[in-house]
Amino acid sequence: MDSRGSILLRAAEIASVDGLEGVTIGRLAVELGMSKSGVFSHFGSKEELQICTVHTAAEIFAHEVVMPGGALLDLADRWLDYSKRRVFPGGCFFVVTRSEFAARPGRVRDALMLFNLRWISLLERLCGDAQMAFEVDALLAAADRFAVLYDDASAYERVRLALRARIAMPTGMEMSVATANDNSIASHASSTS
């Protein structure tokens, strides 16, 4: 991995614990054994570093959760496993950062919002129902936060049971299946920088 990739991976790990505001050029320089100017030269500003970190996290998320494809429960199971395995040490990068930037206008919020809109759109397509997509996203986020806060992995199984029960409820529409082409969560986010 090149130095830019190493910087962004470490930035995403930090952000999952301390939020994107916890990601600083100075901190990354110290943790990666680089000079501040060496880190700064890759991004030019803290905001650009944060946006690139969002794009990196989106690519990792797409690889871990979306690209293998499958039906809604397949995606949900991979999402729960992604959180449980602590792909990012603080749990789901996007659960942490979308809360942090929800009320802050600007380019970082826009990048997070774009990712989230694409994620919800994918869930809506797989569910065939906007309300169910909202509930699935909320359950996944709840599992992540409960498991991280209480260091209690039982939340993942509890949410799996809740999802199966919710999906069994009729919505009046057929469900779809995710495909490798749904990788757009990462590729579109990356093209906005």
Side-chain angles (χ1 to χ4, degrees):
M1 180 178 297
D2 66 354
S3 61
R4 180 182 168 90
S6 298
I7 293 166
L8 290 170
L9 179 58
R10 184 63 190 131
E13 292 169 348
I14 291 168
S16 76
V17 175
D18 295 334
L20 281 164
E21 286 299 322
V23 176
T24 66
I25 289 171
R27 180 176 181 179
L28 288 167
V30 168
E31 290 194 19
L32 296 171
M34 299 176 69
S35 68
K36 282 185 179 181
S37 62
V39 174
F40 185 81
S41 69
H42 287 285
F43 307 101
S45 70
K46 182 175 180 177
E47 180 183 62
E48 194 59 34
L49 169 61
Q50 290 172 330
I51 290 168
C52 291
T53 301
V54 170
H55 297 165
T56 295
E59 290 172 10
I60 292 167
F61 180 91
H63 177 76
E64 292 284 333
V65 177
V66 179
M67 286 172 54
L72 178 62
L73 282 176
D74 298 324
L75 230 65
D77 281 342
R78 282 194 303 274
W79 194 106
L80 293 166
D81 290 341
Y82 144 90
S83 173
K84 185 177 184 177
R85 286 185 291 115
R86 295 293 185 267
V87 171
F88 295 109
C92 179
F93 172 92
F94 293 99
V95 171
V96 172
T97 58
R98 72 184 179 192
S99 297
E100 178 188 14
F101 276 83
R104 295 183 190 180
R107 292 177 58 223
V108 177
R109 178 181 178 265
D110 292 348
L112 290 164
M113 188 171 62
L114 181 60
F115 169 85
N116 200 62
L117 289 171
R118 287 198 166 107
W119 169 243
I120 293 296
S121 177
L122 173 60
L123 290 178
E124 285 179 13
R125 187 172 63 75
L126 296 178
C127 294
D129 180 75
Q131 178 62 34
M132 186 190 299
F134 180 85
E135 292 173 29
V136 168
D137 184 58
L139 284 168
L140 294 172
D144 182 77
R145 293 299 79 194
F146 187 94
V148 172
L149 181 62
Y150 297 106
D151 193 24
D152 183 352
S154 71
Y156 298 114
E157 190 54 36
R158 292 166 66 188
V159 166
R160 279 187 173 90
L161 293 171
L163 286 170
R164 282 170 175 68
R166 175 58 182 100
I167 290 168
M169 293 178 193
T171 62
M173 301 184 78
E174 279 188 41
M175 288 193 207
S176 187
V177 175
T179 68
N181 293 334
D182 290 313
N183 178 26
S184 64
I185 284 177
S187 61
H188 287 257
S190 296
S191 66
T192 62
S193 59

